[in-house]
C-alpha cells in the first residue's frame, strides 16, 4: 500500500477502500481476519475475531435452516439477519481499519496511531496500540479491542429501538438462549481425524448487556489461548476448513448444506444424541451465499463512545469468567442455569455434550410443538 509520495490522507483512503472490499459479507470478513492473523500472528485478536465471525455466519444460516423458519415469520427472520449483519459489519468496519493501519506501522516501523481518529476509531484505542508497538502485549491489546468493539455496537445496534424490540426482546431470541443455540464454538480435532471435530465454547446469555459481552469476549480469549496444544489444534482446523456459513463445516455427519427435498410440512424427530435416527435426513444448514445476498449498510456515525474511564478497568483480568470444564455439572443442569442466569453471574464453559443436548432439546421441542399443533387442528375439524 506504500508509495514514496503517499500522504496521510491517501493512506486513510486506501485503508477505508480495502476495508470496504473485505466487508461485503460474513464470508469475506471471516476470511480477511484469518488472512491477517496468518500474516501477523502476534495479533491474537485477529484469530479470535475469525472464529467468532464463523459463529456469526452459522447463526445467519440457521435463520434459513431446518429449525428457525418453523419458529419465525419471514419478516422476523429478516430482522434477525439485519441485526447480525449490522453488528458484524460495524465491528469489521472499525477493527479491520485498525489492523490494516498496524500492518502499515509494522512495515514502516513508525507510529501512525494519530491516524486512528480520522479513520473513525475511538481515542480509547490510541494508547493501547502505542503500548502494543512498544511492548507487544497481545493480551492487553486484545482486551482493549474487545471492550472497544462491544461498545462500538452497543449504541449503534443493541440500544436501537428496532433491534431491541424485534430481536433482543423477542421470544425466539430468548428460546435460543434457553436451548444453548447462542454458543460461540471453537471446533478442533485430536489425533484421530476420522470423526467430527470436538467443540468447546461459551454461551452468551444476556446479549443486551455490554459488560456481559465484554466478559464473554475476554473469557473466549482465555479459553482459546490458555492451552497451547488445543490452540494449535483449533488453528489447524481453521486453516484446513474453508468457512461457508454452513454448520456442515464442522459437523457434516449431522448437517448438510444441500436440502434434498422441500421442507416437510410436519417436522419429524431427527436426533438421538449426536447421531441421526435411522432413516432420517441430515439437518439442513445452508451455505451463506445460497440464502443471503450481500446487503448495503449505511455508514457508521463518527460518535466516539469513550467518555468514562471506568472502562479502563476491563483491560485487567477480573478473575475466572468460565467455570472449570471439569465441574460435576451435567449438561441439563447447565441449561437450567442458563435459563435462570442474571447479568453478572459466572459464565459457563460449554462442551460438546452441552451442544449435543441443546440440539436434542430443540429437535424434540419442535417435533412435540408441531405434533400438538396438528393434533389441535384435527380436533377443531
Amino acid at each position: 500500500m506504500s508509495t514514496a509520495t503517499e500522504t496521510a490522507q491517501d493512506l486513510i483512503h486506501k485503508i477505508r477502500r480495502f476495508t470496504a472490499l473485505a466487508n461485503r459479507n460474513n464470508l469475506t470478513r471471516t476470511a480477511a481476519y484469518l488472512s491477517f492473523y496468518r500474516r501477523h500472528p502476534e495479533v491474537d485478536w485477529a484469530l479470535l475475531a475469525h472464529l467468532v465471525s464463523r459463529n456469526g455466519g452459522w447463526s445467519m444460516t440457521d435463520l434459513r435452516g431446518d429449525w428457525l423458519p418453523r419458529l419465525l415469520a419471514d419478516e422476523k427472520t429478516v430482522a434477525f439477519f439485519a441485526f447480525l449483519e449490522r453488528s458484524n459489519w460495524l465491528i469489521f468496519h472499525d477493527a479491520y481499519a485498525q489492523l490494516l493501519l498496524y500492518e502499515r506501522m509494522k512495515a514502516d516501523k513508525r507510529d501512525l496511531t494519530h491516524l486512528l481518529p480520522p479513520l473513525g476509531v475511538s481515542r480509547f484505542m490510541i494508547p493501547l496500540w502505542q503500548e502494543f508497538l512498544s511492548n507487544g502485549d497481545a493480551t492487553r491489546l486484545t482486551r482493549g479491542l474487545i471492550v472497544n468493539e462491544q461498545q462500538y455496537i452497543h449504541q449503534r445496534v443493541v440500544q436501537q429501538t428496532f433491534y431491541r424490540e424485534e430481536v433482543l426482546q423477542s421470544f425466539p431470541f430468548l428460546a435460543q438462549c434457553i436451548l444453548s443455540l447462542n454458543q460461540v464454538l471453537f471446533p478442533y480435532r485430536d489425533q484421530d481425524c476420522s470423526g467430527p471435530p470436538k467443540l468447546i465454547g461459551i454461551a452468551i446469555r444476556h446479549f443486551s448487556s455490554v459488560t456481559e459481552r465484554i466478559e464473554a469476549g475476554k473469557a473466549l480469549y482465555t479459553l482459546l489461548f490458555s492451552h497451547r496444544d488445543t490452540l494449535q489444534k483449533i488453528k489447524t482446523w481453521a486453516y484446513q476448513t474453508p468457512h461457508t456459513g454452513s454448520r456442515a463445516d464442522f459437523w457434516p455427519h449431522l448437517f448438510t448444506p444441500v436440502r434434498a427435498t422441500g421442507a416437510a410440512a410436519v417436522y419429524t424427530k431427527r436426533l438421538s444424541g449426536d447421531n441421526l435416527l435411522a432413516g432420517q435426513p441430515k439437518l439442513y444448514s445452508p451455505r451463506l451465499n445460497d440464502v443471503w445476498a450481500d446487503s448495503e449498510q449505511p455508514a457508521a456515525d463518527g460518535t466516539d463512545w469513550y467518555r468514562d474511564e471506568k472502562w479502563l478497568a476491563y483491560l485487567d483480568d477480573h478473575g475466572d469468567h468460565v467455570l472449570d470444564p471439569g465441574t460435576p455439572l451435567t449438561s441439563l443442569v447447565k441449561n437450567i442455569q442458563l435459563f435462570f442466569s442474571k447479568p453478572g453471574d459466572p459464565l459457563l464453559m460449554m462442551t460438546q455434550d452441552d451442544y449435543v443436548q441443546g440440539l436434542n432439546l430443540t429437535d424434540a421441542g419442535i417435533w412435540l410443538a408441531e405434533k400438538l399443533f396438528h393434533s389441535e387442528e384435527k380436533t377443531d375439524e
Side-chain angles (χ1 to χ4, degrees), residues 29-35 37 45-55 237-239 241 243:
R29 287 190 289 269
T30 307
Y33 283 135
L34 187 61
S35 177
Y37 177 74
W45 184 86
L47 178 63
L48 177 63
H50 166 76
L51 294 166
V52 172
S53 187
R54 280 185 182 254
N55 281 264
W237 180 86
Y239 295 162
T241 310
H243 174 60

Side-chain angles (χ1 to χ4, degrees), residues 15 38-39 141 164 214 247-248 262 343 380:
I15 289 174
R38 300 190 77 165
R39 299 195 305 273
L141 177 66
R164 191 168 63 248
I214 290 170
R247 290 186 182 269
D380 291 341

Side-chain angles (χ1 to χ4, degrees), residues 123-253:
R123 59 191 175 88
F124 176 81
M125 291 305 304
I126 295 176
L128 292 168
W129 277 111
Q130 290 173 339
E131 289 174 15
F132 184 70
L133 292 172
S134 173
N135 60 26
D137 187 344
T139 297
R140 188 169 170 84
L141 177 66
T142 299
R143 289 174 179 165
L145 283 163
I146 289 168
V147 171
N148 182 65
E149 304 317 328
Q150 292 308 320
Q151 290 284 6
Y152 191 74
I153 67 168
H154 195 66
Q155 65 186 22
R156 293 170 173 85
V157 180
V158 178
Q159 290 185 320
Q160 295 298 309
T161 301
F162 173 79
Y163 294 120
R164 191 168 63 248
E165 295 179 352
E166 294 298 316
V167 177
L168 294 172
Q169 295 176 356
S170 68
F171 171 75
F173 187 87
L174 296 176
Q176 287 194 73
C177 296
I178 294 165
L179 298 174
S180 303
L181 297 180
N182 57 334
Q183 295 167 2
V184 178
L185 303 171
F186 299 154
Y188 67 97
R189 292 185 182 277
D190 281 332
Q191 299 303 322
D192 180 11
C193 295
S194 58
K198 292 185 176 180
L199 305 171
I200 55 171
I202 289 174
I204 312 298
R205 302 160 303 181
H206 302 285
F207 194 89
S208 59
S209 167
V210 66
T211 55
E212 176 146 331
R213 295 198 311 276
I214 290 170
E215 295 300 350
K218 291 167 63 177
L220 284 166
Y221 175 55
T222 301
L223 185 64
L224 179 59
F225 280 91
S226 60
H227 301 288
R228 186 177 300 275
D229 183 55
T230 303
L231 170 62
Q232 187 55 52
K233 292 174 182 178
I234 292 171
K235 287 162 64 172
T236 298
W237 180 86
Y239 295 162
Q240 295 176 348
T241 310
H243 174 60
T244 71
S246 170
R247 290 186 182 269
D249 289 350
F250 64 88
W251 271 12
H253 68 298

